[in-house]
Amino acid sequence: MIWTTDNVQRIILDVAGRILKIPHAGLPTQVRPDLDLSLDLGLDSLRRMELAAYLNELFGLLQTSATNYLLAGTTLEHWTNCILRARSDDDRFLTFRTSGTGGATKSITHSMASLVSEAQFLAQLLAPPGQIISSVPANHIYGFLYTVLLPSLWKRPMRLLTDVSMADIEADSLLVGTPFTWQFIDQSFLGAAKLPCRGVSSTAPMPPGLFTRLMEAGVSLTEVYGSSDTGGLGFRHAPDAPFVLFPYVVLSRSEPPTVTRTDTSETFVIPDRLEQLSSREIRLLGRLDDAVQIAGVNVYPAYIRQIIEQCPLVAECDVYAKAVAGDTQLYAAVRLRNLTDSTREACLRWIRQHLSAPELPNHLYLY
C-alpha cells in the first residue's frame, strides 16, 4: 500500500523542512500524530500557506472535496488525513517541482501509472534490500520513487539516515542519496572504515573520485541518470562506465536529443549533451543550458552574478563554475566599491542573505 500515514507524514515534513531549511524539519522518521505545525514546528500563517500551496499542487488537493482543506487545521494529523482522503478519491497524478533556483523551477506532472511502472523496473534492477535508509526528501520525484514507492513494493522498512548509526547499516541495506549526501557519508562515516552495503545516487553527476572511494569502502553503488521531467532514464555501476538505458527508454538521434518511453508513449527533450555509444548506451557530455548542478540543484552562474551585483557595496562581479576531479564548484570574484574590513563583512552577510545554499560560491574572493 503506497498511501500510508507514515509516507504522507514524511512528505509533509520534507516539504516543511524545505521551507524551514532544515532536512525533514529536524524530526526523526517516526513522529507523534498530534504534532502541531504552528506550535511545534514554528510555521506561522504565511509559512503554512506556502506549505499548503506546495502540497495542494503535489497532490491536486483543490480538485478534490472541500473537506480536504489543509489550512482548516494546524495538526500534522489533520493535514495527513486530508491527503489520504484525496488520494483515495483520485490517485491518477502527482505534480513535482524541479530543483532549479533563480526562478527556473517549474511544475512537472507525472501519472501514477508511469511512476509505478518505473518503480517496478527498479525493484527488479536493485533487488529487495533488508531496509532502505534515506538521505533525500520524499517530495522530489527521486525521493518519492526510491523511499516511498520501492519500500511499498518490496514491503521493506524505510528509515532516515539521521536515525541510524554505522552499526545499523548492514550488507543488505540500501542507502539512497545524492552526490552531496554521499559526500557527507564519505566524510562522516567512512575515513578508514568499510561500509559494505548497497547504494543508489541520482539528481547530479557523481564525481568519479567519490564514486571510487565509495566502491573501495565496500558500497555496491548504482548511479541513475534522469531528471524531474523524465524520471529515470539509465543506470551504471562504475564511474567510467556508460549509462545503460532503462529497457522501456528509446533515444532518438535528433538535436536536441529526445527519449520516448515505450510503456507510456511519452516523449521528452533531454536537457544534456549526450554521446550515443550504441542503441542502449550513452555518455553524458554536459548541460545544453547554462545550468550547473550543485548538491543536486540546478543553479545558474549568470543569475548569481546578477544577484550579487545588486548589493550596494559591489562594483562588479564574476561568477563561474569549475569541475575538479568531477566535482563542480562555484567561484566568484567580487570587486567592492570601497574595500575595508567592515564593507567586506557586510557584503558577505548580504550575499548569504540573498542566495540559497546551493547558490553560494564555494570560493568567494572579495577585493
Side-chain angles (χ1 to χ4, degrees), residues 20 23 49 54 75 103 121 131 134-135 149 168 184 200 210 216 221 263 322 358 363 365:
L20 294 169
M49 287 183 68
Y54 193 108
T75 65
F121 164 70
Q131 64 176 341
S134 173
S135 63
L149 286 185
D168 298 320
F184 169 80
V200 63
L210 177 58
E216 291 173 346
L221 188 62
D263 58 338
K322 181 180 178 181
H363 308 273
Y365 173 57

Side-chain angles (χ1 to χ4, degrees), residues 175-197:
L175 271 66
V176 180
T178 68
F180 182 72
T181 59
W182 278 110
Q183 181 71 50
F184 169 80
I185 292 169
D186 177 44
Q187 294 178 342
S188 303
F189 285 84
L190 300 181
K194 292 288 186 179
L195 189 64
C197 67

Side-chain angles (χ1 to χ4, degrees), residues 234-279:
F235 67 94
R236 65 179 178 180
H237 301 299
D240 56 349
F243 284 95
V244 178
L245 295 175
F246 289 180
Y248 51 79
V249 171
V250 177
L251 178 66
S252 77
R253 294 184 179 272
S254 60
E255 287 296 335
T258 61
V259 292
T260 299
R261 287 186 56 157
T262 58
D263 58 338
T264 64
S265 299
E266 296 171 294
T267 297
F268 305 93
V269 175
I270 301 298
D272 301 291
R273 291 182 292 112
L274 305 177
E275 178 186 5
Q276 188 167 2
L277 304 177
S278 71
S279 62

Side-chain angles (χ1 to χ4, degrees), residues 64-82:
T64 64
S65 169
T67 59
N68 301 326
Y69 186 60
L70 297 174
L71 294 174
T74 61
T75 65
L76 180 62
E77 183 176 33
H78 166 75
W79 287 51
T80 302
N81 288 337
C82 286

